[in-house]
Amino acid sequence: MLVRKTPTWQRTRRALTVTALAALVTGGAFLGSGTASAATTLAGTCKGSVSGSMGDSVALPGSSVKDVVRQAAQEQVGLFNFLTVWPDALANTIAGKGNLEVGQIPQSAGGTIAGDAIGTVVSTALKGSSGLGLTSGTQNQVLTAIKNKVASACALTTLATNYTAPSSSAPSSSPSNGSSSNPGTGGSPLANLVPGSNGGTAPQRDYNGIPTATPGTAIAPGIRYPANGALPGDASAPQLGGQNSEGQGPDIRNAGNAESLATPGSANDVQLPMLLAVIVLAGVTAGLVRTWVLRRAA
């Protein structure tokens, strides 16, 4: 059986070809993944809010600042540069720049793209354009005016749509060794409460300073607080089981120097003057009725 021998140079060429194809495929895969991850979020206007994923670039259409550029350049047109400063040409130039990258979505819930950053991007894009002026001084003046005008008119608020707030769960503090017999050493909810401090209280250890009644010297309830203000044991105060200065028992006392007064008669009693008045009124009424009847009859 004849076996065909492959020359060395052919084997080498085949190996190099396979290696090149593998490198090409691998490189294409890396390039494809890199392009997919570098996303760009386009804002419609130069003022407002824009939402995107964290790390995305934020771009702004040049046409969104076209009117601002025209107005800023128009304010710089004077007597000596009106032939070299062209506001309309600058406005069309910035509109033709397409999308201008002005910032990025931060790695947080949100952020801002200040107007100064947008103004810097716009002035940089217009640098060297026709219509800025003939001299370098005029060009710098117009570019500075455009930058300041855009900075005052534009600002963006960035919002990250894929941001997740971190959990703020605090570890629970529980006794590690059960209750501790020594306050202040931990292991008990009352560990930090020191007796006598503002942080807590403790039971009193000695109760000798509290006044107590002596056995055998109790005072009767009826004479603990006499009406005349005398202290218990005073000779002038009424004593239990005795009589007062008026010869009355301990349960019978005068409440002052009250005297009985004559009570008025009952309101239903009819006195003589009232009776006479009623009789006179009846006679006068009878006379008036008689006179009235006689006149009607006549």
Side-chain angles (χ1 to χ4, degrees):
M1 180 178 180
L2 297 177
V3 179
R4 184 179 178 181
K5 293 183 178 181
T6 304
T8 304
W9 64 272
Q10 290 183 357
R11 293 197 302 267
T12 304
R13 184 178 65 180
R14 290 178 183 176
L16 292 176
T17 302
V18 174
T19 304
L21 290 175
L24 181 61
V25 173
T26 306
F30 278 112
L31 291 176
S33 61
T35 304
S37 61
T40 300
T41 301
L42 185 64
T45 60
C46 71
K47 190 174 184 178
S49 61
V50 58
S51 301
S53 300
M54 293 185 296
D56 288 356
S57 299
V58 178
L60 189 68
S63 58
S64 62
V65 294
K66 178 179 178 180
D67 295 336
V68 180
V69 171
R70 179 187 292 109
Q71 183 179 357
Q74 186 66 44
E75 293 175 355
Q76 300 303 315
V77 176
L79 180 61
F80 300 101
N81 62 3
F82 69 97
L83 295 176
T84 58
V85 177
W86 308 329
D88 292 336
L90 294 175
N92 294 330
T93 300
I94 195 64
K97 294 291 184 180
N99 298 330
L100 305 174
E101 186 175 343
V102 295
Q104 193 177 32
I105 303 293
Q107 300 292 329
S108 60
T112 57
I113 299 177
D116 292 337
I118 301 176
T120 301
V121 172
V122 172
S123 62
T124 302
L126 288 174
K127 188 174 294 184
S129 302
S130 301
L132 289 174
L134 184 60
T135 64
S136 59
T138 303
Q139 295 175 2
N140 293 332
Q141 181 179 350
V142 174
L143 287 175
T144 302
I146 292 174
K147 176 183 176 181
N148 295 335
K149 195 74 172 180
V150 172
S152 61
C154 299
L156 290 174
T157 300
T158 57
L159 303 175
T161 56
N162 59 342
Y163 173 76
T164 303
S167 59
S168 59
S169 59
S172 60
S173 58
S174 59
S176 58
N177 297 324
S179 61
S180 175
S181 60
N182 186 9
T185 59
S188 174
L190 302 178
N192 296 326
L193 301 182
V194 181
S197 64
N198 295 330
T201 58
Q204 188 173 347
R205 298 180 182 275
D206 189 3
Y207 295 91
N208 293 330
I210 298 178
T212 57
T214 304
T217 58
I219 303 174
I223 58 174
R224 286 181 181 176
Y225 307 102
N228 58 1
L231 295 177
D234 193 352
S236 61
Q239 302 297 324
L240 182 60
Q243 295 183 352
N244 54 19
S245 59
E246 297 180 359
Q248 298 176 345
D251 296 332
I252 302 176
R253 300 183 181 89
N254 288 336
N257 297 323
E259 296 179 1
S260 61
L261 299 177
T263 59
S266 175
N268 296 326
D269 296 343
V270 179
Q271 303 296 330
L272 179 61
M274 179 64 70
L275 183 60
L276 294 177
V278 171
I279 295 174
V280 173
L281 181 61
V284 173
T285 302
L288 291 176
V289 172
R290 180 175 178 278
T291 303
W292 177 74
V293 172
L294 294 175
R295 287 182 180 178
R296 294 283 295 181

